[in-house]
Amino acid sequence: MPLYNHKKIESKWQKKWEEEGLYKAEDDYKKKKYYLLIEFPYPSGEGLHVGHPRSYTALDILARKKKMEGYNVLYPIGFDAFGLPSENYAIKTGVHPAITTKKNIKTFTKQLKSLGFSFDWSRQVITTDPEYYKWTQWIFLKFYEKGLAYKDKMPINWCIDCKIGLANEEVVDGKCERCGGEVEKREKEQWMLKITAYADRLIKDLGKVDYWERIKSQQINWIGRSEGAEFELSIVIASEAKQSRKDGLTEIVASPSAPRNGISISVYTTRLDTVFGMTYAVIAPEHKLIAKLKNKIANYKEVEKYIIKARNKTELKRVELSKEKTGVELKGIKAINPFNNEAIPLFVADYVLGYYGTGAVMAVPAHDERDFEFAKKYNLPIKQVIKPGKETHQKLSDIIGHEYFIADGILIESGEYSNMKSREAREKMAEWLEKKGMGKKKINYKLRDWVFSRQRYWGEPIPMYHCEKCGIVPASEEEVLNTNKWRLPDIEKYEPTDTGESPLAAITDWVNAKCPKCKSPAKRETDTMPNWAGSSWYFLRYIDPNNKKELADKKKLKYWAPVDWYNGGMEHTTLHLLYSRFWYKFLYDIGVIPKECGAEPYKKRTSHGMILGEGGEKMSKSRGNVINPDEVVDKYGADTFRIYEMFMGPFNQAIPWDTKGVIGVRRFLEKVWKLRERIMNHESGIMNKKIESMLHKTIKKVAEDIENFRFNTAISAMMILANELEKEKEVFIIHYSLFIILLSPFAPHITEDIWSSFAKATEDKAEKKKYEQSIFRQNWPKYDEKLIKDETINLVIQINGKLRDIIAVDADISESKAKAKALASKKIKKWLYGKEVVKIIFVKGKLINIVVKYV
RNA sequence: GGUCCAGUGGUGGAAUUGGUAUACACGCGACACUUAAAAUGUCGUGCCGCAAGGCAUGUGAGUUCGAGUCUCACCUGGACCACCA
């Protein structure tokens, strides 16, 4: 009996599997399919992280089980290879990102293969491959054709260090997600994708899919749908309004005859019911109205100074300073509340965002915390118009402890709307606005259009021309798909230019081109696409990776799409997951994806937790707590590594690495290995009923746990079974081999090796043949319901809910018999002495609880 | 500040619908094997107590025959978002 030599076994079977093509998915439309997807890695220079295999092993286990259940399984792999690190490396060393990428992919491939995943490597997709990214470019052309890609001058997040525009999603705490440097706002012409056009469907269709609740709610939150109303506030010259006093508040009431000069601002609110409490209005510093009213604003210089200051604040500072609100009144003008004709002061303040809603708000200090703070600081009136409940009107501070009240309630001092409930008032007020033509109901989203331009080299070129005569002209499909014209050209310098243009802008013979429409001189777009582009549709290309005519064949799409199970990181919930759902829906709308596939790309989505360093902190080079998967595989083997990552704790939870725990798993596999010494053929023995029952319980548990991603308890159940088998003098091959099949998705190498050795243990030809085939061509075991049912159970006897005795009884014991037995127990008799039995509760198959009281 | 999640031995963590709390693994201790060590095996291992027994799932209350599980309040930690009107 040889020792368990993981190195020999693992390389042997990895080679065999590859030669046999065991994991190739066939386009066999008669079989039922199962498509499993993991987020393809970015091939970084650091190599594989121990976090990668957590997700890959989980779906590998599922893939192998599905295959054994008879499914035609597709479990593909590829590389998301465009990205900043290779480009930054190129800036430092001059090595072309394509070379770095190629080298890193080679390392990753070797590492991934050493872990024995059942990936179908023949379908590999690499986003930097021109045969792939020409289709990414083609999809962009389609977006443009349908009016969903547009160029717009807009303030973008600009990373000062990286010299690159960032999407909102890439700005974390006001800092650049990549380099941690400061981010400021800059006006730039950017390509945009109109994801907001899909906002509603991206929320609604979450009802069609099976995502973990956490993932759904995060997406809903991110899209941030809010129902409200938009309406106009007329602007008047202050001197034309008449001052009066009312309710002890200083208010300015416009005289009905005050001429309105046609200028108005549009405000958005979700709390139209509080409109009678509006005591001022605020516009964002970016608001266009300010320039328009330049000569009507008495203190324009002061206002201008404030705007410039606000604009120069970096995102970080703006967030930091958020506690202290600032603003400047626009003197000389007033806004009119259309509901009561009151003239109110108008402020510019940076606590109002230029890019959300209309960039202007009505301020109701009594019912909004931010407005309240601002009003306190600038001594503005606070007028309560909602009372919390049925209580009579009293000071807010007496009821809730502070002076503003943000919840719904009952309206007061709101004209004809007084005494209405908030909800009703919102409806009625919106109706009134619509009737008067001054406003309407409106739905707003936090989600903004996707800034799609990057001023970088290592990305997909955006296939657009800028013609002197025709303006923006898209490249033709022919040019993108069948020529080399839109491939990334080679360059010498990778640094972005100081003007913020892509390094591509420096290659004049690439930039200068002819307009495809009118043939006059034109310039090419030099921006490239963001990282998220290639990863937004890669899962479709796996279905038909070598198609030269189409993005993917329709018949193949019909068969394979959508993805049945997608697992990935929680950090991709709001970015990649949302983006790829958007792209898929678009491709579905334009008929690239057949209707039969449905409008959602992923049927099911789950997320794994992070693997932390041994101290419980995030693994990082600087902390020196990085675990290298190669070393673990080398020392303990891939099977040990895989099982350890699945055993360490709940799959969706962050868990620190513990090398000691790895040893425990290795011991388990050695135990499994040694059990082989004691196997014998079942013909010569009597069935061991206890083991048989346990085995079938384990079959049930492991199958259920895999489907529910509770790998840790599945492994624990197999350990218990192995411990039990170890206690037996002889192990029947029929039991042991079923156990080996159960274990095989988790530890493919050792189980395949043990399986193949069974061929020697039998003389039967058919049996021999079975064992000579791969274990992964066997059927997944089914449990026998009869064997799972226990004949006897341990009946728990409690007194007042406390455990006092346990007796063995028939599993289907009747209530009366159980009671009699319980009361006959010596231990119980002792406890009942001197007490009165009040009642007895019987739970079938579980327990008896005797409720007593002292006499 | 908002939303969501979690808090169980020395450690990672188990515990169907409320029904034997601490499975499995690590660590630790004792013993066996060994000249010795490693490896391996056997037994033990929540806390207090000689024992009978009592006390333990962040804290406090509640519902219940019975609560780790349900309800409320609080404390602590994490994740995501964050001036979104």
Side-chain angles (χ1 to χ4, degrees), chain A residues 87-321:
Chain A
E87 182 158 344
N88 286 339
Y89 186 73
I91 292 170
K92 250 194 268 168
T93 62
V95 178
H96 196 289
I99 293 168
T100 316
T101 301
K102 210 175 159 190
K103 197 184 108 209
N104 292 347
I105 286 178
K106 217 178 141 191
T107 312
F108 262 75
T109 302
K110 205 181 133 217
Q111 289 181 301
L112 289 170
K113 286 191 172 172
S114 80
L115 283 161
F117 297 124
S118 60
F119 290 134
D120 180 352
W121 284 93
S122 71
R123 289 172 183 255
Q124 184 174 208
V125 163
I126 299 172
T127 53
T128 51
D129 178 352
E131 288 303 307
Y132 176 80
Y133 74 66
K134 71 181 190 188
W135 290 106
T136 312
Q137 291 168 319
W138 178 81
I139 296 169
F140 183 84
L141 289 178
K142 289 289 166 192
F143 272 120
Y144 183 78
E145 190 187 309
K146 302 290 173 190
L148 292 169
Y150 61 97
K151 210 164 193 194
D152 198 10
K153 192 164 193 160
M154 65 167 324
I156 59 147
N157 305 297
W158 181 260
C159 174
I160 300 163
D161 291 343
C162 301
K163 293 174 184 165
I164 190 170
L166 302 172
N168 282 310
E169 291 85 334
E170 292 167 303
V171 181
V172 178
D173 285 333
K175 287 185 212 155
C176 172
E177 185 196 44
R178 297 151 191 278
C179 73
E182 292 217 343
V183 174
E184 62 177 23
K185 291 271 177 200
R186 268 204 197 174
E187 290 267 323
K188 258 198 149 298
E189 281 262 300
Q190 299 284 329
W191 279 103
M192 308 287 293
L193 285 189
K194 217 174 196 162
I195 189 169
T196 51
Y198 281 74
D200 228 16
R201 280 168 69 192
L202 287 168
I203 291 180
K204 246 194 242 151
D205 288 354
L206 285 173
K208 293 180 185 168
V209 292
D210 176 17
Y211 291 7
W212 280 352
E213 222 28 68
R214 200 158 58 123
I215 297 170
K216 274 192 194 178
S217 66
Q218 227 181 85
Q219 287 222 344
I220 291 168
N221 243 315
W222 186 264
I223 297 168
R225 182 190 147 102
S226 69
E227 284 178 30
E230 200 174 291
F231 65 98
E232 302 289 320
L233 301 179
S234 303
I235 303 297
V236 295
I237 307 301
S239 55
E240 289 162 356
K242 189 172 75 184
Q243 266 199 324
S244 79
R245 278 183 155 260
K246 206 164 96 182
D247 304 340
L249 299 168
T250 310
E251 284 175 7
I252 306 161
V253 179
S255 88
S257 60
R260 311 231 165 140
N261 52 18
I263 296 178
S264 66
I265 55 165
S266 195
V267 294
Y268 175 72
T269 180
T270 54
R271 293 297 306 276
L272 192 57
D273 54 313
T274 64
V275 72
F276 282 84
M278 166 168 35
T279 55
Y280 65 97
V282 190
I283 61 176
E286 298 91 342
H287 206 286
K288 288 178 189 114
L289 184 85
I290 298 170
K292 254 197 214 167
L293 290 170
K294 188 174 173 178
N295 46 25
K296 295 191 174 88
I297 299 169
N299 57 339
Y300 188 76
K301 274 216 169 129
E302 192 193 352
V303 170
E304 197 179 25
K305 224 171 109 187
Y306 179 79
I307 292 169
I308 290 166
K309 222 172 102 192
R311 197 168 282 173
N312 285 345
K313 277 186 199 172
T314 61
E315 275 288 306
L316 181 63
K317 280 188 188 133
R318 205 162 154 168
V319 171
E320 262 176 15
L321 297 172

Side-chain angles (χ1 to χ4, degrees), chain A residues 82 214 351 469 611 835:
Chain A
F82 276 125
R214 200 158 58 123
Y351 81 91
K469 284 184 190 153
I611 294 181
K835 297 182 187 87

Side-chain angles (χ1 to χ4, degrees), chain A residues 57-65 642 646 706 711 745-746:
Chain A
T57 307
L59 283 204
D60 190 50
I61 289 166
L62 199 61
R64 288 174 187 275
K65 174 169 176 271
R642 292 166 56 111
M646 295 298 104
I706 290 177
F711 304 105
F746 296 80

Side-chain angles (χ1 to χ4, degrees), chain A residues 140 149-154 156-158 163-168 170 178 188-193 449-457 459-462 464 466 500-502 525-533:
Chain A
F140 183 84
Y150 61 97
K151 210 164 193 194
D152 198 10
K153 192 164 193 160
M154 65 167 324
I156 59 147
N157 305 297
W158 181 260
K163 293 174 184 165
I164 190 170
L166 302 172
N168 282 310
E170 292 167 303
R178 297 151 191 278
K188 258 198 149 298
E189 281 262 300
Q190 299 284 329
W191 279 103
M192 308 287 293
L193 285 189
D449 278 344
W450 176 4
V451 180
F452 201 67
S453 288
R454 293 299 122 97
Q455 294 71 43
R456 282 283 174 174
Y457 169 71
E460 301 89 342
I462 293 174
M464 291 284 165
H466 297 271
E501 278 180 297
S502 153
E525 175 61 61
T526 57
D527 283 355
T528 53
M529 299 185 197
N531 241 66
W532 311 109

